[in-house]
Amino acid sequence: MTAWPDVSPDVGEQPGVVLGAVTTRLLNSSEPLPLEPARQALALLPDVAAGWRRHPIEQVVSPDLFFSLDCRLATRSGSHPRVIGTARARAVLTAGHVLQGSASTAVVLNASRRRLPWAHYVARTGMVEAINKADPADLVTSFLRTEPGGTLLDLGKTASYVTSLLDRVPQIDGRARLRTQSSRLLWAARLHEGSEPVGEVEAGADGVFRVRLSTPSALLPHFIEFCEVLALHGWLLAAMKNAFDRSTRPGRRAEDEMDPALSYLAHIWNPRAHLPPEVRWLWQALEDEAQLTWEWQSTVTRLRDKVALLTRKAMEETLRKEVV
C-alpha cells in the first residue's frame, strides 16, 4: 500500500524537497465500519480498489487522489516562491473508527523560470515545480513553522478534504458517542541520495507534531508511513486524555465520556503494527524521549480504574437500598 510518491530518476529534474501533512479524526459513526463496507467506502476512484490489511489491526487505504496546485511556499525571507503542479492525497481508516487524510507534494527546484502548459505538470503527478529560486533548507523550516493561509501551500486542508469525502458514505450513521477534535501533523523531507537517513520529531505546544527528515528517495514512502502512524497514535493519546479530563468535570456523567473512549479506542494502540522496519529506529528514539506508550498505558489504566470505582460504588448503593 506504500506506492507513493514517485521520484524516480527517469522523469526530468528531480525533487529536492517533499512536504506533507496528515490530519486525523474520529469517523462520525456509532459503530466501527466493518472491513468490507470500509473497502467500499474508501474506493474513492471508479474501478480502483482500496488497499487493505486485516492483521494485526484492520486498516483500509484509499487510492491516491490528485489535486491541482498553483500557490506560494512559505520562506523566512518572504519571497514566497510560486509553485505549480499537483498534490497527492489518500484516506486511511484504522480499526473502522479512526480516519486520516495524508497529503504530500514533491518540490522540484529551479526547473523553470516561467509557467509551462498545464499538460507538463499533469504528467508529473504528485509534484510541483518552483518558478522562482528557493533554498531547500528554508523551505523545510518555513513549511513546518508557518501557519498556512492566503495563497500559501496548505496540505492540511487537502488532507482534510479527502477525509470529508467519507462523510457522504451511507454506511456512516453520523452518531458518534465520543467527542473528539481533529489533529494535524506536518512533515518535510530533504532528499539526499546515497546518504544515511536522519529524522527528528517535535511535539509542539500547539499540539502539532512536526517531523523533519533527510533521506534517500527510496526510503521516503516508509517515512510517510511513519508520519501516518505517529499522527494516529498522537491523536489516540490526546483523545483518550481529553475523555478522562471531561469525565472529571462537574455536571457530567463520567460514564458518558469513559465508556465510548474505552470502547472505540482502547484496543487500537499498536505503533509497531504497520511501521516499516526501515524506520522503527525513529519511533524508538521518540519513545526513549517522550515515552508515548507509557503515557497511553497510564491514561487507559486511570480510565479503567475509574470505571471500576464507579461500578463498585453503584453496586454498594444498590445493596444499601436493598437493605433499607
Side-chain angles (χ1 to χ4, degrees):
M1 292 190 296
T2 311
W4 60 292
D6 179 9
V7 289
S8 53
D10 57 344
V11 191
E13 293 285 341
Q14 286 303 291
V17 171
V18 186
L19 308 174
V22 184
T23 60
T24 308
R25 66 178 177 92
L26 186 72
L27 188 69
N28 188 20
S29 182
S30 58
E31 298 295 334
L33 202 59
L35 181 59
E36 190 53 39
R39 291 176 62 191
Q40 296 172 10
L42 272 78
L44 299 180
L45 291 177
D47 302 320
V48 182
W52 62 279
R53 45 194 165 196
R54 189 183 298 275
H55 303 291
I57 300 173
E58 284 188 4
Q59 191 171 72
V60 181
V61 181
S62 78
D64 294 342
L65 304 179
F66 296 94
F67 299 89
S68 60
L69 295 175
D70 186 346
C71 56
R72 303 277 178 174
L73 296 182
T75 59
R76 288 173 293 180
S77 66
S79 61
H80 299 331
R82 181 186 180 188
V83 291
I84 304 171
T86 60
R88 182 188 307 256
R90 65 184 182 186
V92 182
L93 182 65
T94 303
H97 253 326
V98 185
L99 181 60
Q100 295 181 281
S102 183
S104 75
T105 191
V107 183
V108 180
L109 303 171
N110 304 324
S112 174
R113 294 187 178 276
R114 60 185 179 84
R115 194 188 192 286
L116 299 173
W118 182 242
H120 168 81
Y121 303 107
V122 172
R124 310 189 69 187
T125 53
M127 296 187 187
V128 292
E129 295 187 3
I131 293 179
N132 313 104
K133 287 185 177 181
D135 175 62
D138 189 6
L139 293 182
V140 166
T141 299
S142 299
F143 176 76
L144 295 176
R145 295 296 176 193
T146 304
E147 189 68 26
T151 61
L152 293 180
L153 175 68
D154 189 350
L155 290 172
K157 185 176 181 180
T158 303
S160 294
Y161 174 76
V162 174
T163 65
S164 73
L165 299 176
L166 274 295
D167 293 333
R168 311 168 189 174
V169 175
Q171 299 98 319
I172 299 172
D173 59 26
R175 298 197 299 268
R177 295 185 294 120
L178 179 64
R179 290 176 299 166
T180 62
Q181 296 179 331
S182 62
S183 68
R184 181 167 53 110
L185 176 147
L186 300 175
W187 61 267
R190 292 189 65 180
L191 300 183
H192 291 290
E193 304 303 333
S195 62
E196 290 296 315
V198 178
E200 60 180 17
V201 178
E202 176 190 338
D206 55 359
V208 177
F209 278 103
R210 293 174 173 86
V211 183
R212 186 190 301 262
L213 304 164
S214 176
T215 177
S217 58
L219 290 179
L220 183 61
H222 301 310
F223 278 111
I224 294 175
E225 283 202 282
F226 166 82
C227 291
E228 292 170 353
V229 168
L230 174 58
L232 168 66
H233 289 80
W235 180 88
L236 284 171
L237 180 57
M240 194 66 83
K241 291 172 69 175
N242 288 340
F244 181 84
D245 291 342
R246 287 195 304 270
S247 73
T248 64
R249 294 175 186 172
R252 295 189 184 269
R253 292 184 71 250
E255 299 91 333
D256 292 342
E257 302 293 344
M258 295 187 297
D259 288 353
L262 291 170
S263 174
Y264 283 17
L265 308 179
H267 62 292
I268 299 178
W269 188 276
N270 189 353
R272 294 182 180 273
H274 300 147
L275 199 61
E278 295 86 349
V279 293
R280 286 178 181 170
W281 60 270
L282 186 52
W283 178 267
Q284 187 57 55
L286 179 63
E287 283 282 16
D288 291 343
E289 180 177 347
Q291 299 189 34
L292 298 181
T293 297
W294 178 89
E295 190 173 4
W296 168 262
Q297 293 170 344
S298 175
T299 303
V300 172
T301 298
R302 293 178 72 193
L303 272 165
R304 287 178 171 155
D305 286 349
K306 187 166 185 178
V307 169
L309 179 60
L310 290 173
T311 302
R312 190 185 73 183
K313 287 183 176 179
M315 293 175 63
E316 291 174 349
E317 183 65 26
T318 300
L319 290 172
R320 198 177 301 116
K321 290 179 179 178
E322 291 179 352
V323 171
V324 173

